[in-house]
């Protein structure tokens, strides 16, 4: 088991001659809840995909605990990724397959097991436990495609958690959900974090969807990290106003931070 | 019914089952065009293998079969290198490019061929005369290999179908499993193609699987039903063509489409929900 410390140094990603990510130094400590905010095209998803190892940097190193992932071959890198729970945006999965909810959640156990080894009763106990914890017991044998968007998102969280991850990466987990589901999903993420203290990296466009336990935020703009620190301080920083090109005020209500234009 | 036709039926049923089973994954991966692409690659390999036999009748069956298999594997593995998230190239566009290239190679080979083109053109439509005991055994062995693959890599294939990104990000050895799948896909389609035909194989990949996805719930039922529908398509197609003296390939295709239509109708009438 790894502790979940992530260190990115001198990262540079260039595509078609354009710098899409440029990060000098970013340290994420075990147990951090890091909110990743920024304008459209700022590089938030690229950063998350880089941390997952889905894309390679042109320059720089990514260290998970003390292991330099950039030096590992693809096979060994995969072995380290089994500690990462990843919840992508909807476009990245095929929601039309007739898989049952239980099958989707059980996918979280796949990388835990070596190749050629089947999931056993113990795996399915863990899967059922997470299905129950997320209140999906009644939908267990329903197909994933027949669930509502919010229930699908809960199922994907259960899938990621059944993997017993050291790091949980969420890419706009509340996009395309109605406001009630948005808050339900963020409440679930907060509860999971408080119970497991897993390292969380969460991309969000809406500041109100960052749970109150999100103690640290980074602000991305045009591929660069322009602010890093306490979430409230980042939201009130001048860099935040500059990045969005307007004057904003952040109001905290019921533990949530709402950013409104002045 | 003579013993030769029984061999043909056995080969056809196994080919239908294995192609139907492959279809469950190919449709799940949203790349049905792979059948046409690989079958044309196989045809190109077959034709160039024939050219390399230098009209030696002993060498001809060996070079053509090997050529077909090698070309299929190369085209299938070329697909493994296309990562939509990295190259921003849709896998179906990649398939179309490989298909165009293979078509060019095929017709170049046809143009260079001095002898009869009947066998080569027969690959397009399929010809039961390609069936013999050796090919039937080969088809059966490959079907067993496919079943083994499905059983052994069951958990990895599920994630791969659901999302390659999730599979890659969470440490599933997806490139490895995907490459094995594509290689197997290339070999099976290359070996089955002379019997079913390059054009017809597309329907056996698509229709049984699409029908299974209509009415099944869960991964295992989809895979098994798809294989059964593939088997049923070839079996019914052979009997219809035998008794009504109609082209076999065409009958198989029509039966597979009818099966799809019936499952869609069933789903609609029964109001079946997930």
């Amino acid at each position: 088991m790894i502790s979940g410390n992530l260190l990115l140094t001198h990262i540079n990603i260039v595509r078609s001659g354009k710098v899409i990510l440029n990060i000098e130094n970013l340290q994420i400590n075990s147990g951090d809840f890091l909110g990743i905010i920024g304008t459209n095209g700022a590089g938030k998803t690229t950063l998350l995909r880089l941390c997952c190892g889905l894309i390679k940097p042109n320059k720089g190193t990514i260290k998970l605990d003390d292991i330099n992932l950039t030096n590992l071959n693809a096979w060994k890198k995969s072995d380290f990724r089994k500690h990462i729970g990843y919840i992508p945006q909807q476009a990245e999965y095929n929601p039309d397959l007739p898989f049952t909810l239980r099958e989707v959640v059980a996918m979280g156990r796949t990388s835990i097991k070596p190749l050629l080894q089947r999931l056993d009763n113990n795996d399915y106990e863990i899967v059922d436990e997470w299905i129950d914890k997320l209140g999906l017991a009644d939908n267990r044998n329903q197909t994933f495609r027949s669930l509502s968007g919010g229930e699908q998102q809960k199922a994907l969280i259960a899938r990621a958690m059944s993997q017993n991850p050291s790091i949980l990466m969420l890419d706009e987990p509340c996009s395309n959900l109605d406001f009630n589901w948005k808050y339900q999903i963020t409440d679930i993420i907060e509860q999971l974090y408080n119970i497991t203290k897993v390292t969380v990296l969460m991309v969000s466009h809406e500041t109100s969807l960052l749970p109150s336990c999100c103690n640290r935020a980074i602000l991305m703009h045009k591929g660069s990290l322009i602010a890093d620190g306490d979430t409230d301080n980042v939201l009130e920083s001048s860099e935040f106003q500059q990045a969005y090109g307007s004057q904003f005020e952040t109001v905290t209500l019921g533990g949530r931070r709402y950013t409104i234009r002045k | 019914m003579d013993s030769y036709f029984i061999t043909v039926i056995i080969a056809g049923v196994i080919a239908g089952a294995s192609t139907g089973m492959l279809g469950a994954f190919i449709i799940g991966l949203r790349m049905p065009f792979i059948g046409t692409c690989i079958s044309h690659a196989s045809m190109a390999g077959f034709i160039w293998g024939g050219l390399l036999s230098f009209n030696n009748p002993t060498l001809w069956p060996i070079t053509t079969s090997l050529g077909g298999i090698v070309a299929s594997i190369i085209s299938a593995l070329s697909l493994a290198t296309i990562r939509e998230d990295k190259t921003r190239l849709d896998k179906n566009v990649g398939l179309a490019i490989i298909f165009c290239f293979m078509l060019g190679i095929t017709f170049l080979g046809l143009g260079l061929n001095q002898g009869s083109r009947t066998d080569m053109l027969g690959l397009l439509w399929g010809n039961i005369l390609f069936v013999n005991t050796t090919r039937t055994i080969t088809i059966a062995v490959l079907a067993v290999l496919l079943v083994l693959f499905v059983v052994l890599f069951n958990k990895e294939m599920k994630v791969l179908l659901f999302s390659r990104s999730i599979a890659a990000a969470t440490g599933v050895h997806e490139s490895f499993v995907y490459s094995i799948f594509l290689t197997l896909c290339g070999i099976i389609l290359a070996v089955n193609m002379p019997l079913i035909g390059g054009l017809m194989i597309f329907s056996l990949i698509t229709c049984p699987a699409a029908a299974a996805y209509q009415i099944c719930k869960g991964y295992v039922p989809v895979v098994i039903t798809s294989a059964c529908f593939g088997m049923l398509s070839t079996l019914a197609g052979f009997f219809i063509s035998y008794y009504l003296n109609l082209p076999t390939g065409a009958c198989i295709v029509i039966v597979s489409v009818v099966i799809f239509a019936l499952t869609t109708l069933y789903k609609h009438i029964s109001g079946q929900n997930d």
Side-chain angles (χ1 to χ4, degrees):
Chain A
M1 195 68 186
I2 59 164
S3 61
N5 288 306
L6 205 59
L7 176 66
L8 282 73
T9 39
H10 310 302
I11 293 291
N12 193 262
I13 299 179
V14 181
R15 296 285 183 268
S16 310
K18 190 182 165 199
V19 177
I20 57 167
L21 200 67
N22 184 27
I23 293 176
E24 215 30 57
N25 187 57
L26 175 62
Q27 167 121 31
I28 301 154
N29 298 315
S30 172
D32 269 358
F33 193 121
L34 180 74
I36 304 171
I37 52 175
T39 50
N40 284 330
K44 305 182 293 296
T45 297
T46 307
L47 173 63
L48 209 62
R49 294 171 70 86
L50 176 82
C51 294
C52 293
L54 285 175
I55 45 176
K56 268 186 190 169
N58 296 77
K59 272 200 297 190
T61 54
I62 306 164
K63 281 187 178 175
L64 182 59
D65 286 0
D66 282 329
I67 297 126
N68 187 346
L69 295 184
T70 32
N71 284 348
L72 296 178
N73 64 34
W75 191 272
K76 283 192 176 162
K77 220 183 271 182
S78 274
D79 285 339
F80 274 97
R81 285 193 207 129
K82 68 185 175 193
H83 302 289
I84 297 173
Y86 176 56
I87 299 174
Q89 291 183 19
Q90 195 183 3
E92 288 185 53
Y93 60 85
N94 183 354
D96 300 326
L97 297 168
F99 291 161
T100 61
L101 178 139
R102 195 170 187 245
E103 282 179 319
V104 171
V105 177
M107 286 175 194
R109 302 297 299 163
T110 301
S111 53
I112 304 291
K113 290 281 178 183
L115 276 173
L116 309 181
Q117 198 172 321
R118 297 171 71 84
L119 301 186
D120 54 29
N121 288 340
N122 180 44
D123 293 305
Y124 282 106
E125 269 173 30
I126 294 168
V127 167
D128 287 334
E129 201 181 302
W130 278 109
I131 290 175
D132 294 343
K133 272 183 189 167
L134 286 168
L136 292 165
D138 292 342
N139 311 97
R140 198 183 310 269
N141 295 314
Q142 222 176 308
T143 56
F144 182 77
R145 66 186 178 191
S146 67
L147 302 174
S148 71
E151 287 166 338
Q152 286 189 352
Q153 210 56 19
K154 271 188 179 182
L156 290 179
I157 293 171
R159 181 200 56 76
M161 293 312 293
S162 73
Q163 198 181 327
N164 193 20
S166 302
I167 305 177
L168 186 62
M169 302 199 188
L170 306 120
D171 193 358
E172 292 185 52
C174 303
S175 59
N176 301 322
L177 298 180
D178 67 48
F179 71 89
N180 187 29
W181 268 114
K182 280 182 181 178
Y183 295 130
Q184 278 194 51
I185 294 294
T186 41
D187 285 347
I188 287 168
I189 294 167
E190 180 158 20
Q191 283 163 20
L192 289 176
Y193 173 75
N194 288 335
I195 296 165
T196 61
K197 286 295 172 199
V198 60
T199 310
V200 179
L201 276 71
M202 177 172 162
V203 170
S204 181
H205 268 298
E206 295 176 51
T207 55
S208 64
L209 298 177
L210 293 173
S212 55
C213 61
C214 175
N215 46 19
R216 183 181 164 199
I218 56 170
L219 174 64
M220 305 281 301
H221 186 56
K222 293 182 179 170
S224 297
L225 196 162
I226 58 167
D228 179 359
D230 175 82
T231 307
D232 295 323
N233 291 343
V234 168
L235 295 178
E236 283 161 16
S237 65
S238 57
E239 287 87 353
F240 186 82
Q241 318 283 341
Q242 278 166 18
Y244 287 90
S246 207
Q247 291 295 308
F248 291 96
E249 188 180 1
T250 302
V251 184
T252 305
L253 275 174
R256 293 188 185 278
R257 307 167 183 95
Y258 296 88
T259 303
I260 43 174
R261 206 161 80 167
K262 281 182 184 169
Chain B
M1 199 177 283
D2 60 20
S3 62
Y4 178 71
F5 197 72
I6 290 172
T7 311
V8 169
I9 289 177
I10 293 171
V13 164
I14 302 171
S18 55
T19 315
M21 190 178 272
L22 269 185
F25 300 104
I26 291 170
I27 296 296
L29 288 165
R30 297 195 257 202
M31 49 199 288
F33 202 53
I34 193 174
T36 314
C37 180
I38 290 180
S39 55
H40 281 78
S42 170
M43 197 158 72
F46 188 93
I47 288 167
W48 281 88
L51 286 171
L52 290 173
S53 73
F54 302 106
N55 295 325
N56 181 330
T58 322
L59 278 179
W60 196 85
I62 302 166
T63 54
T64 49
S65 298
L66 274 180
I69 291 171
V70 169
S72 297
I73 294 174
I74 291 172
S75 72
L77 286 180
S78 309
L79 272 175
T81 61
I82 302 172
R83 290 296 306 253
E84 286 168 283
D85 49 349
K86 288 182 181 170
T87 59
R88 295 196 174 211
L89 179 69
D90 184 275
K91 56 182 177 273
N92 285 305
V93 176
L95 270 172
I97 291 165
I98 297 169
F99 168 73
C100 294
F101 179 63
M102 289 303 167
L103 206 60
I105 299 275
T106 304
F107 282 98
L108 187 64
L110 272 177
L112 292 172
N113 179 43
Q114 303 292 318
S116 162
R117 294 179 183 180
T118 317
D119 282 348
M120 295 176 178
L121 292 173
L123 287 171
L124 271 178
W125 310 104
N127 191 338
I128 55 169
L129 295 176
F130 280 111
V131 176
N132 54 34
T133 312
T134 316
R135 189 173 285 274
T136 308
I137 293 170
T138 313
I139 289 171
V141 169
L142 286 172
V144 171
L145 278 179
L146 177 64
V147 172
L148 268 178
F149 169 83
V150 172
V151 172
L152 293 175
F153 293 102
N154 153 58
K155 65 182 194 308
E156 285 80 13
M157 280 309 286
K158 263 190 222 174
V159 193
L160 239 155
L161 290 177
F162 188 65
S163 167
R164 276 194 82 185
S165 295
I166 289 181
T170 56
V172 176
H173 295 290
E174 50 90 35
S175 292
F176 174 71
V177 177
Y178 189 53
S179 300
I180 296 179
F181 168 72
L182 287 176
T183 306
L184 204 53
C185 201
I187 299 173
I188 290 174
L189 293 181
V191 172
N192 289 352
M193 192 194 61
L195 172 69
I196 301 165
L199 297 175
M200 310 291 179
I201 213 160
F202 185 57
S203 74
L204 271 187
I205 286 173
T206 315
C207 297
Y213 276 112
Q214 286 286 320
I215 55 167
C216 294
K217 188 164 97 172
Y219 168 82
V220 176
V222 163
V223 175
I224 293 173
T225 310
S226 187
C228 292
F229 282 160
M231 204 188 299
L232 184 66
S233 303
T234 43
L235 196 62
F238 272 130
F239 277 105
I240 292 169
S241 82
Y242 182 80
Y243 286 109
L244 300 179
N245 196 23
L246 294 169
T248 315
C251 290
I252 294 173
V253 171
I254 292 167
V255 170
S256 71
V257 176
V258 168
I259 290 173
F260 171 74
L262 289 175
T263 52
T264 310
L265 195 67
Y266 167 76
K267 191 174 183 184
H268 185 69
I269 292 172
S270 67
Q272 186 195 7
N273 287 317
D274 293 329

